[in-house]
Amino acid sequence: MSAEFELTRNITIGQYLPTGSIIHRLDPRFKLAAFVILILAIAVCNTYIGNIFAIIMCVWLFQISKIPIHYGISGIKPAIPFIIILAILQLLFYGGIANGGAVYFEYGFIKITSESIRLVLVSAMRFVEVIFLSSVLTLSTSTTELTHGMERLLGPLEKVKFPVHAFALIITIAIRFVPTFAMEMEKMMKAQASRGADFGTGEWWRIVQRTKDMFPIIIPLFNVALARAEDLILAMEARCYIPGAARTRFAHYKAAGKDYVAIVLSVVISAVMLGIPW
């Protein structure tokens, strides 16, 4: 039972794995900018070879960051039911939108074509690539570095009265709470299973039944989330945190040559994905 309820093993977003690699030592501003460029390129790329190249690039990032690839693979497991449902919906109902190509099956409003199949496969690969990139980014960047990097990148928006600091803080807190919620949910599932509850573990195809089995722990999970949020508020108030107040910065980043190389590599990789007629 313990292996089936180890949810924290499959949550890579929000966790930090210090390995001391060159990816870890990059300036968080340039690191965030490079990953944003790669994610935008992945969102636009709609070819098989281009997405296969992107997956190879993600695996390469795991290697140079000295993070085991199984961390990225485990991060895909929670998203598998969602990817399957989305693929089925796209395959059945996007045939009329994705025009062109050979028609393999047509019945009423259901139309399966080669273009709709391409859309399904490309969308699935995009999900995998984005999860891989998000895992590498959060596993190689601490929460503090993410906050500072995001705040510095969005700094110019302060001129138009955009709450940059508050926005960066909200995003990083949300990312950091992902593994916390997974840990709390794991505790609740183990407690319920010890009392005879059945969550359909080990049978991933029972998506509807597993969703129904999760309902009894949703309300306790929200209660725990609110309690954790209240504890965080009290901790911030105890440290005299004032939203919107002028703040000094403890961390001062200075770009080095490797940071500019990272930006150039991200642009080159994006150009290869999008510019070359595969």
Side-chain angles (χ1 to χ4, degrees):
M1 181 186 71
S2 59
E4 296 176 345
F5 291 102
E6 294 292 339
L7 301 182
T8 52
R9 292 184 180 181
N10 298 329
I11 301 296
T12 56
I13 297 176
Q15 302 195 46
Y16 178 60
L17 185 64
T19 62
S21 69
I22 189 172
I23 300 293
H24 289 71
R25 298 194 302 270
L26 287 176
D27 189 310
R29 300 170 298 175
F30 289 79
K31 191 190 303 186
L32 279 171
F35 275 84
V36 168
I37 292 171
L38 292 175
I39 289 176
L40 289 177
I42 288 172
V44 177
C45 182
N46 58 2
T47 61
Y48 291 127
I49 304 300
N51 281 276
I52 292 174
F53 175 77
I55 292 177
I56 295 173
M57 179 266 300
C58 292
V59 175
W60 175 67
L61 286 176
F62 272 99
Q63 291 179 346
I64 64 175
S65 61
K66 300 179 182 179
I67 298 173
I69 188 61
H70 69 78
Y71 276 92
I73 296 175
S74 63
I76 299 174
K77 292 180 181 178
I80 289 178
F82 178 75
I83 294 175
I84 293 175
I85 293 175
L86 183 62
I88 294 174
L89 293 176
Q90 288 178 326
L91 187 63
L92 295 178
F93 303 112
Y94 270 54
I97 299 176
N99 294 321
V103 178
Y104 298 126
F105 178 81
E106 186 173 3
Y107 181 78
F109 60 88
I110 298 177
K111 184 178 180 181
I112 299 177
T113 65
S114 59
E115 284 298 308
S116 63
I117 294 175
R118 183 187 62 82
L119 177 65
V120 169
L121 296 177
V122 167
S123 299
M125 286 190 286
R126 284 173 178 170
F127 268 103
V128 172
E129 293 152 15
V130 170
I131 292 174
F132 274 169
L133 285 178
S134 302
S135 300
V136 173
L137 177 61
T138 56
L139 287 170
S140 64
T141 313
S142 65
T143 306
T144 303
E145 290 178 339
L146 279 175
T147 305
H148 289 309
M150 192 178 303
E151 188 175 356
R152 301 291 180 82
L153 281 180
L154 300 177
L157 295 179
E158 292 181 345
K159 297 180 180 179
V160 294
K161 305 299 181 181
F162 184 80
V164 173
H165 175 73
F167 178 78
L169 186 64
I170 290 171
I171 296 299
T172 50
I173 288 176
I175 293 174
R176 183 62 187 88
F177 264 50
V178 171
T180 302
F181 287 162
M183 181 180 63
E184 294 295 338
M185 190 173 182
E186 179 182 319
K187 291 180 181 178
M188 293 178 186
M189 291 179 65
K190 288 180 178 179
Q192 293 293 331
S194 66
R195 295 173 174 86
D198 181 18
F199 292 100
T201 53
E203 301 176 355
W204 59 269
W205 61 88
R206 296 173 53 191
I207 298 175
V208 177
Q209 184 62 37
R210 294 189 65 177
T211 303
K212 291 180 180 179
D213 293 336
M214 292 294 179
F215 282 149
I217 65 175
I218 290 179
I219 294 178
L221 185 62
F222 270 98
N223 290 334
V224 171
L226 293 174
R228 289 272 188 159
E230 186 176 359
D231 292 340
L232 179 60
I233 292 172
L234 293 175
M236 295 174 69
E237 289 180 347
R239 291 164 175 80
C240 301
Y241 176 80
I242 301 175
R247 302 177 61 85
T248 58
R249 292 182 172 90
F250 175 77
H252 294 274
Y253 298 107
K254 186 177 181 180
K258 62 180 181 295
D259 302 313
Y260 294 103
V261 171
I263 292 292
V264 172
L265 279 177
S266 64
V267 173
V268 170
I269 292 173
S270 301
V272 171
M273 290 172 56
L274 302 176
I276 295 181
W278 297 102

